[in-house]
Amino acid sequence: MIITKLSLYNFKNHGEKKFEFSPQINCFVGNNGAGKTNILDALHYLSVGKSFLGNTDLNNIKNEEDFFTIEAEIGSSDSEDIIKILQPKEGKKIIKKNDKSYDRMADHIGYLPSVMISPYDSNLISDAGESRRKFLDSMISQTDSEYLFNLIQYQKTIQQRNALLKYFAKNRTWDKDSLEIYDEPIIRFGTKIFTKRKDFVEQLNPIVKNFYHIISGGKETVSVVYESHLLEDSLENLLKKSLERDRMLTYTSKGIHKDDLLFEMDEVLIKKIGSQGQQKSFLVSLKLAQMSLIKELTKKTPILLLDDIFDKLDDTRVSQLIELVNRESFGQIFITDTHRERTENVVKRINEESIIFEI
């Protein structure tokens, strides 16, 4: 999938911007605060319908304006489509493909797969498990629409069960039979999600190891470990065993909504022993592995969004990364940087057609 043209209107700090892209490498160079990352965020919107920064849609409307639009021409080997996203201040977000609105956001996920590598990825290492679960869910959802459906249904059912537990506590009542109504869908959807996550991480882990070995020069060994209650027992048994505890806590304490990914270096959590350069190298390896696996599973090459990734990487690791990009044929790449000279040097070493935009 290749983005040939992009138009922004009232998106964040951009009033009106138009771009025609190279099918290979596109670089956005400028000072901090110029809006380079916002352009990558617009491309991320085209892929998954939301900001990678976690901003609400309304907060992405330019100050004192009533809406934003993102529009792009996207081509593949056998078709060309126009994707348009419209977010008014008053009303719902609309996503259209060739002037036809999607009924559900989930129907768009996977059309234009993408991988973003940015400084904000450090949260994946430092934050609690929720951010890593979201990352895992986002990866799998771009490859499997059934997974996304199961996830939505599971989350809805957990919310309903938790609401009933809180109702019981507030009203000092208890009805075990009413609560058990939710067990069947939680078990059905949760078990499918667990199986898919486990299989996906098993496929992902060796690719991460390989990319990190290349970028680091084989100095350390890293791994991605899937952690889940369901590795210890079935979801059916877990719900039964935790019933009284859930009653006291007023929420569902066991299940795949508590899953986590452990990022390890030499069998120790990387956040405990990894330097900034090692952690960044790991995150780059993780995202490149994500890209490689999405490409393998969907037969589509995701767009690669690289936001300010050359900071905190020494020259050796930058060289290894460039060699990796050259070797792996990652497809269309978008890069931001504050230093034009550094960007030009990097682009020269990547044997692809490129355009540099001053922002």
Side-chain angles (χ1 to χ4, degrees):
M1 308 295 286
I2 300 296
I3 302 173
T4 55
K5 294 181 182 179
L6 175 71
S7 298
L8 305 179
Y9 197 74
N10 295 336
F11 183 72
K12 297 191 174 182
N13 70 322
H14 297 295
E16 185 173 5
K17 282 275 172 62
K18 294 180 184 292
F19 301 94
E20 292 192 17
F21 293 135
S22 160
Q24 295 171 335
I25 299 176
N26 300 275
C27 307
F28 307 100
V29 177
N31 295 328
N32 290 325
K36 305 182 301 296
T37 299
N38 293 342
I39 298 168
L40 295 195
D41 204 17
L43 297 171
H44 188 268
Y45 253 98
L46 291 170
S47 175
V48 297
K50 61 183 179 180
S51 168
F52 84 93
L53 297 170
N55 297 335
T56 65
D57 295 317
L58 293 180
N59 285 341
N60 291 323
I61 300 174
K62 193 172 186 289
N63 286 341
E64 299 181 3
E65 300 295 343
D66 295 324
F67 66 94
F68 77 69
T69 60
I70 303 167
E71 185 170 330
E73 291 183 16
I74 300 170
S76 64
S77 58
D78 56 0
S79 67
E80 187 169 283
D81 299 314
I82 295 176
I83 300 295
K84 184 172 184 179
I85 301 173
L86 168 65
Q87 176 62 65
K89 252 184 185 174
E90 306 290 338
K92 292 176 62 176
K93 175 171 57 187
I94 299 169
I95 301 181
K96 293 182 177 182
K97 179 180 175 184
N98 300 328
D99 284 330
K100 184 178 180 181
S101 297
Y102 284 100
D103 294 327
R104 303 178 308 160
M105 182 66 229
D107 295 333
H108 177 64
I109 303 297
Y111 163 76
L112 176 68
S114 68
V115 172
M116 167 74 80
I117 305 177
S118 88
Y120 299 97
D121 292 334
S122 60
N123 295 340
L124 287 173
I125 290 176
S126 60
D127 284 1
E130 182 180 2
S131 63
R132 289 183 289 276
R133 277 194 305 278
K134 286 182 177 179
F135 169 65
L136 180 58
D137 290 336
S138 175
M139 280 195 290
I140 302 174
S141 294
Q142 290 196 71
T143 69
D144 189 333
S145 59
E146 183 185 353
Y147 177 87
L148 183 56
F149 172 80
N150 290 335
L151 184 66
I152 291 169
Q153 298 307 311
Y154 178 89
Q155 290 171 340
K156 283 181 181 177
T157 310
I158 289 291
Q159 289 170 0
Q160 291 167 346
R161 187 177 192 267
N162 289 347
L164 187 56
L165 285 165
K166 287 176 172 57
Y167 172 85
F168 289 155
K170 182 179 179 181
N171 293 277
R172 298 184 180 181
T173 185
W174 179 248
D175 185 347
K176 182 182 174 184
D177 291 340
S178 295
L179 197 67
E180 287 179 348
I181 291 171
Y182 299 108
D183 286 5
E184 189 277 330
I186 288 174
I187 293 165
R188 176 159 46 95
F189 294 120
T191 303
K192 289 179 180 178
I193 292 164
F194 164 73
T195 302
K196 190 70 181 183
R197 285 177 178 174
K198 184 172 176 290
D199 291 347
F200 193 90
V201 175
E202 285 176 357
Q203 291 176 277
L204 184 74
N205 191 38
I207 309 174
V208 175
K209 286 174 180 282
N210 180 52
F211 284 156
Y212 188 88
H213 180 83
I214 294 168
I215 294 172
S216 70
K219 294 176 181 177
E220 314 90 22
T221 301
V222 298
S223 59
V224 180
V225 179
Y226 178 44
E227 191 175 64
S228 176
H229 294 141
L230 273 73
L231 290 167
E232 304 162 11
D233 206 344
S234 70
L235 193 43
E236 182 178 5
N237 288 339
L238 289 167
L239 287 171
K240 288 177 181 176
K241 291 176 182 177
S242 62
L243 185 59
E244 285 304 315
R245 187 165 185 260
D246 292 354
R247 182 179 179 180
M248 289 191 322
L249 295 172
T250 70
Y251 64 82
T252 308
S253 59
K254 298 284 187 179
I256 55 96
H257 56 290
K258 298 293 184 181
D259 285 357
D260 202 351
L261 293 177
L262 305 182
F263 299 149
E264 297 181 346
M265 186 171 71
D266 296 333
E267 299 185 352
V268 180
L269 287 177
I270 197 168
K271 70 178 179 181
K272 292 185 177 180
I273 62 170
S275 67
Q276 282 190 323
Q278 287 170 328
Q279 290 189 21
K280 188 153 192 173
S281 297
F282 172 80
L283 290 167
V284 170
S285 302
L286 178 68
K287 292 303 190 74
L288 294 182
Q290 173 192 3
M291 185 162 196
S292 179
L293 192 49
I294 289 174
K295 183 178 178 180
E296 179 185 335
L297 294 174
T298 66
K299 310 307 177 189
K300 292 181 178 181
T301 301
I303 59 170
L304 180 58
L305 310 173
L306 305 177
D307 185 25
D308 196 25
I309 70 161
F310 302 118
D311 281 350
K312 299 188 180 69
L313 288 180
D314 58 36
D315 289 342
T316 301
R317 290 178 191 248
V318 169
S319 295
Q320 298 287 5
L321 176 59
I322 291 167
E323 181 185 329
L324 194 57
V325 169
N326 272 328
R327 194 181 74 189
E328 294 292 329
S329 300
F330 283 122
Q332 194 175 28
I333 301 174
F334 299 86
I335 300 171
T336 69
D337 200 359
T338 52
H339 304 294
R340 185 182 179 101
E341 185 178 349
R342 176 169 62 186
T343 304
E344 288 175 342
N345 288 335
V346 167
V347 166
K348 283 177 187 175
R349 292 157 68 186
I350 301 176
N351 188 27
E352 300 287 356
E353 175 194 326
S354 63
I355 299 176
I356 296 179
F357 299 93
E358 291 277 357
I359 305 299

